[in-house]
Amino acid sequence: MRRHPLDPVALAAGLVLAAIAALGLLDPARTRDVDLALVASGAIVLVGAAVLLGALARRGRVTPRSDRPAGSA
Amino acid sequence: MDPQRIPVIGTGAESGTATAPPPPPPPPGGTTPPRPPLRRATGDAILGGVAAGIARTLDLDVALVRVAMVVLALPLDGLGVIAYLAAWALIPADETPTDAAPRRGAGVWIGAGLVGLGALMVLERLGDAWGWGAWRPWRWFAADLVLPLGLVVVGALLWWRAGETAAPLTGRSEGSAGAAGGTDGGTAAATRTRTRAELEDSRLGPLSTGLALMVLGGLWTTDGLDVTSLGATRIAAAGLLVLALGLLVGAVAGRARGLILPGAVLALVVLGMLGAERADGAALGTPAVPGVSTLERPATVADVPAGGYEWAAGDVVLDLRRLDAASLVAAGGPVPVRAELGVGTLEVIVPRGVGLDVAASVGIGTLRVDPDADLEAEVGVGRLDVPGSAQRGLGLRRDGDTSAADGGATLLLRLEVGVGRIVVTEG
């Protein structure tokens, strides 16, 4: 598997999903005080922010002409 | 160049001229052309392209194949779905669309679905008429083993196929190898090309999905066999954790953004289950639960409405503990109590020492009856938890004798919830 530049969307989504999974795996008595609605809302905000940042970062890049198919020149 | 002078090359199907189309060449050896190999026709697919691929290989109408698959899957219960998923995972894809098997759209599936639904209704009707009892074609879905083991198999197939794609990935990476060389030369274009190739070809997605399915199915199986008692929430959370780890690995190596959608769905399931567990815990707490939207506590039999209780939605506690044995006998016989709730939780607390005759149904959700009772229970989708039996799945049913009242000191509970929970406890 080849390394590539950090993918912020995948990272944010992975962290959020891992946190929710941990919430489900832990003893319910220990997580009783966690506000599930707040967790869900925060997850949506975090993933949305990552998607937004990723989209803005892509817009900032210049698409090289060499990306075009060879026959289109 | 004049198009009419273009020489005809190949089969003639893809070239030829407008004025004199050449006849198709005779098949080699003078025999009928060989059937195309079985491939999933994803270009004509509605789901995985399995039916379209079979239709293309066998030169049949794809609509007929789809209807036949649905009808043939019925006697196989849930195994038909698993067989389709296995075929989806095993048969390689061919994205070339074909005119011979045009896409029929939603009509085919609506028609096939109606045929399937009608066949189910006929079978169930025949079952009642011919004394098969409560035979239901989909009851295998409710089994604690078939579906989870199917998940394990499909997950293993995904792993296997992901391993098989290693060679094409390497071969395809010839372009990306050149691009990688360009990366060494410092061009951004090469980096983008390499990343896109990995984006399309990464095996991380199917590997993570396969492992998640195996974890889900494996833990579900061990729970079904009573080897473990993790519960649905933890099992779903374990599968979610696998997907999350796949995403985290994919953030720096490989690519697995496709895991976000199934992960989000599974996360919602986990959060929903956690919320339901908490609500269950609250409903099973003290009778006068703080925060319940409705609390009914009839003091005498006369306080129970003759037509029963009805609520559209909410969390309801129906506390019947004041209707003790003496008051029931004094009322002259078994006392019926009807309660209907559209959406929400209905907790019914019954007094100790009285006979119970319960007929309860939940459309989607959980039905739990703690005390011993003459019980007739039905759950459309969800969980049925009664003394001596706990089931999950579709079309759950517990047939009992609710016709024979035990005498005067008996409560006849007739409970119905559309979506939500019914919990009957003894106070």
Side-chain angles (χ1 to χ4, degrees):
Chain A
M1 207 169 290
R2 208 186 294 267
R3 289 184 64 84
H4 61 73
L6 182 70
D7 182 350
V9 178
L11 181 66
L15 288 174
V16 166
L17 295 184
I20 294 174
L23 203 60
L25 286 170
L26 290 175
D27 182 3
R30 297 175 61 183
T31 59
R32 191 173 296 150
D33 296 332
V34 177
D35 188 338
L36 296 180
L38 195 60
V39 169
S41 317
I44 291 170
V45 169
L46 189 57
V47 173
V51 170
L52 193 61
L53 286 176
L56 290 176
R58 272 198 304 277
R59 283 186 64 185
R61 291 183 200 147
V62 178
T63 304
R65 299 180 72 85
S66 56
D67 266 6
R68 291 183 180 176
S72 65
Chain B
M1 185 184 291
D2 182 357
Q4 295 190 12
R5 293 176 184 272
I6 294 175
V8 176
I9 300 171
T11 63
E14 70 274 13
S15 56
T17 64
T19 56
T31 59
T32 55
R35 294 186 189 281
L38 181 58
R39 295 281 187 272
R40 285 186 296 110
T42 54
D44 303 309
I46 289 182
L47 288 178
V50 175
I54 292 173
R56 184 185 292 178
T57 300
L58 301 179
D59 194 22
L60 296 172
D61 189 310
V62 67
L64 290 177
V65 175
R66 286 176 176 140
V67 172
M69 285 177 70
V70 171
V71 172
L72 290 175
L74 290 178
L76 295 175
D77 302 327
L79 293 176
V81 177
I82 293 171
Y84 185 89
L85 293 174
W88 192 342
L90 280 175
I91 301 174
D94 178 0
E95 296 179 356
T96 309
T98 173
D99 292 332
R103 188 178 182 127
R104 301 302 171 98
V108 170
W109 287 99
I110 293 172
L114 288 175
V115 169
L117 182 63
L120 283 173
M121 294 170 71
V122 168
L123 287 171
E124 191 162 2
R125 196 76 182 154
L126 290 177
D128 288 341
W130 294 348
W132 300 340
W135 185 80
R136 280 172 164 71
W138 57 81
R139 71 180 189 280
W140 273 99
F141 274 119
D144 279 344
L145 293 179
V146 174
L147 195 52
L149 284 176
L151 288 180
V152 174
V153 171
V154 172
L157 290 174
L158 276 175
W159 263 69
W160 181 57
R161 282 208 66 199
E164 277 205 328
T165 58
L169 179 64
T170 307
R172 194 188 160 102
S173 67
E174 286 174 7
S176 56
T183 307
D184 294 339
T187 64
T191 304
R192 287 173 62 84
T193 306
R194 190 196 71 187
T195 305
R196 285 186 178 180
E198 286 180 351
L199 182 95
E200 292 164 2
D201 289 332
S202 174
R203 286 173 289 151
L204 191 58
L207 285 175
S208 303
T209 307
L211 184 58
L213 288 175
M214 285 192 279
V215 167
L216 283 171
L219 294 179
W220 191 355
T221 302
T222 56
D223 253 27
L225 294 172
D226 290 332
V227 176
T228 57
S229 56
L230 295 170
T233 305
R234 285 188 176 181
I235 292 173
L240 178 61
L241 187 60
V242 174
L243 294 182
L245 292 177
L247 267 171
L248 290 175
V249 173
V252 292
R255 278 283 176 169
R257 277 197 188 180
L259 296 175
I260 294 178
L261 183 60
V265 172
L266 199 51
L268 288 176
V269 170
V270 170
L271 288 173
M273 287 177 169
L274 282 171
E277 279 184 2
R278 290 184 182 184
D280 269 342
L284 292 172
T286 53
V289 182
V292 294
S293 56
T294 306
L295 172 63
E296 293 286 351
R297 189 179 285 170
T300 66
V301 172
D303 291 338
V304 177
Y309 298 95
E310 283 187 29
W311 303 275
D315 294 329
V316 177
V317 174
L318 182 55
D319 187 350
L320 303 176
R321 286 179 297 174
R322 296 186 190 178
L323 308 182
D324 56 11
S327 67
L328 296 178
V329 171
V335 174
V337 179
R338 300 180 187 278
E340 290 183 22
L341 174 65
V343 179
T345 298
L346 171 60
E347 180 189 4
V348 181
I349 307 171
V350 298
R352 296 180 186 277
V354 303
L356 274 183
D357 183 312
V358 181
S361 73
V362 174
I364 301 174
T366 302
L367 171 53
R368 175 173 171 176
V369 178
D370 288 345
D372 287 326
D374 291 333
L375 179 65
E376 186 174 302
E378 189 168 359
V379 175
V381 181
R383 182 179 177 92
L384 175 59
D385 196 350
V386 296
S389 170
Q391 308 172 56
R392 286 172 296 211
L394 307 180
L396 308 177
R397 198 165 186 169
R398 165 76 175 265
D399 292 316
D401 180 12
T402 58
S403 59
D406 292 328
T410 299
L411 275 172
L412 307 179
L413 297 182
R414 301 295 179 259
L415 311 173
E416 195 174 331
V417 166
V419 179
R421 285 179 298 277
I422 293 177
V423 181
V424 180
T425 60
E426 207 169 40

